[in-house]
């Protein structure tokens, strides 16, 4: 979800960042290494956010300042992140660190069906409940959000009023990368229970990019969509708990099959809500 919210900010400003998967990967490693060094998962989250923002800033420099192709730059950064995290993460494979424990909220977590789903999670999940509505409020009810949206809708109008589109877009991409880094850190500091292995994010960053399109660039819908994909991701462990044997390879592919199915169902309809500057990027990609 954090990666989806970060990509929403970036795309609202008119920049597609396919490198979100890379920001998640370096964020996961940054969070793990920082926690290993300090013993504090909270500081690990900050480390993950910093590395996620750093990688996204490279994308911002390439596409905003240098005018590089947004799709090529994003994909190149993903493969760069694969290599860097495999190289620098190798010493941490098979190790264990302090990690975020789940917090069961008294009373609420014991509600049948709903309780375990919503109120028995790590602290970053609870923060996520607030992050999506907070981001919606910032984007649609504050001056800062208006500036970001104008950079994605009418960049020329922003320049007329004395704002730098370049600075706004670079900042939006960096903040988006920081949130993706937090999402990666949540994986290595909570979901894997303090263990590290290569490609720990397993393509979740790509799903986040697709999720933003399904959600029509609305943070609240990103939150809802995240839980839909979360159900698909956790289906395997739930079935195993019930003693139902299902091929793990099929379960692993389920979120991606779900992504393709939704893409097929929605078709071009979601693009009606796309920021104008984003549509310009997509149109240009067809001619190159």
């Amino acid at each position: 979800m954090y990666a989806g919210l970060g990509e929403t900010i970036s795309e609202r400003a008119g920049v597609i960042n396919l490198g979100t998967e890379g920001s998640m990967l370096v964020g996961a490693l940054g969070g793990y290494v920082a926690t290993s060094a300090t013993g504090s998962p909270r500081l690990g989250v900050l480390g993950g956010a910093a590395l996620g923002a750093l990688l996204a800033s490279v994308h911002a420099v390439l596409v905003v300042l240098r005018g590089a192709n947004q799709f090529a730059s994003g994909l190149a950064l993903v493969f760069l992140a694969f290599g860097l995290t495999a190289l620098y993460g190798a010493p941490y494979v098979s190790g264990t660190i302090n990690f975020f424990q789940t917090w069961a909220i008294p009373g609420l977590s014991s509600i049948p069906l709903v309780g375990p789903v919503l109120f028995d999670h790590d602290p970053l999940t609870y923060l996520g409940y607030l992050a999506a509505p907070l981001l919606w409020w910032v984007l649609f009810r504050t001056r800062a959000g208006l500036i970001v949206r104008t950079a994605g809708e009418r960049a020329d109008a922003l320049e007329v009023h004395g704002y730098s589109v370049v600075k706004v877009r670079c900042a939006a991409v960096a903040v988006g990368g920081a949130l993706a880094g937090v999402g990666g850190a949540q994986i290595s500091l909570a979901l894997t229970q303090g263990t590290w292995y290569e490609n720990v994010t397993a393509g979740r960053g790509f799903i986040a990019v697709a999720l933003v399109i399904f959600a029509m660039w609305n943070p609240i819908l990103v939150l809802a969509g995240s839980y839909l994909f979360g159900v698909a991701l956790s289906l395997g462990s739930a079935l195993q708990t019930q003693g139902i044997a299902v091929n793990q390879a099929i379960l692993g592919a389920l979120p991606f099959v779900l992504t393709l199915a939704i893409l097929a169902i929605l078709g071009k309809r979601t693009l009606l809500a796309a920021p104008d500057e984003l549509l310009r990027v997509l149109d240009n990609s067809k001619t190159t």
Side-chain angles (χ1 to χ4, degrees):
M1 183 194 65
Y2 286 104
L5 294 179
E7 183 64 12
T8 300
I9 297 173
S10 179
E11 293 192 12
R12 275 289 178 184
V15 179
I16 298 173
N17 185 7
L18 294 183
T20 295
E21 170 73 6
S23 287
M24 287 191 74
L25 262 177
V26 298
L29 180 60
Y32 195 93
V33 172
T35 303
S36 177
T38 65
S40 170
R42 294 180 180 86
L43 293 178
V45 172
L46 294 179
L51 284 190
L54 180 62
L55 191 71
S57 295
V58 175
H59 181 65
V61 169
L62 290 173
V63 305
V64 179
L65 296 180
R66 302 300 301 163
N69 183 283
Q70 297 191 15
F71 299 100
S73 172
L75 289 175
L77 288 175
V78 170
F79 288 108
L80 174 63
F82 280 150
L84 290 176
T85 55
L87 175 64
Y88 293 105
Y92 298 96
V93 175
S94 302
T96 57
I97 59 171
N98 188 22
F99 61 93
F100 285 119
Q101 304 290 332
T102 57
W103 293 353
I105 298 180
L108 296 177
S109 61
S110 58
I111 299 174
L113 297 178
V114 177
V117 173
L118 296 178
F119 304 113
D120 190 8
H121 294 288
D122 64 89
L124 287 176
T125 299
Y126 295 129
L127 285 176
Y129 294 162
L130 302 176
L134 176 62
L135 178 59
W136 181 91
W137 179 79
V138 170
L139 281 176
F140 297 103
R141 292 292 185 271
T142 69
R143 186 177 184 83
L146 177 62
I147 291 171
V148 170
R149 288 188 292 118
T150 306
E153 296 285 356
R154 293 287 304 276
D156 52 345
L158 202 61
E159 295 280 6
V160 168
H161 286 83
Y163 294 97
S164 168
V165 173
V166 169
K167 290 181 180 177
V168 171
R169 286 180 173 169
C170 285
V173 173
V175 171
L179 284 173
V182 172
Q186 184 181 21
I187 292 174
S188 62
L189 299 179
L191 299 185
T192 64
Q193 298 186 336
T195 60
W196 168 263
Y197 51 86
E198 192 174 331
N199 191 23
V200 69
T201 56
R204 288 179 174 87
F206 293 119
I207 292 178
V209 175
L211 177 60
V212 173
I213 299 173
F214 305 157
M216 295 183 285
W217 298 268
N218 185 322
I220 302 298
L221 295 180
V222 168
L223 174 65
S226 297
Y227 283 102
L228 175 63
F229 284 100
V231 170
L233 287 169
S234 60
L235 185 60
S237 57
L239 291 176
Q240 285 180 340
T241 303
Q242 298 299 320
I244 302 174
V246 180
N247 188 298
Q248 288 300 312
I250 295 176
L251 290 174
L254 186 58
F256 299 97
V257 173
L258 181 61
T259 301
L260 293 173
I262 296 176
L263 277 173
I265 293 170
L266 295 179
K268 294 182 177 180
R269 279 175 286 182
T270 57
L271 293 180
L272 296 175
D276 289 345
E277 296 290 337
L278 207 62
L279 291 175
R280 199 161 293 133
V281 173
L282 296 173
D283 288 340
N284 289 338
S285 70
K286 296 177 182 177
T287 59
T288 56

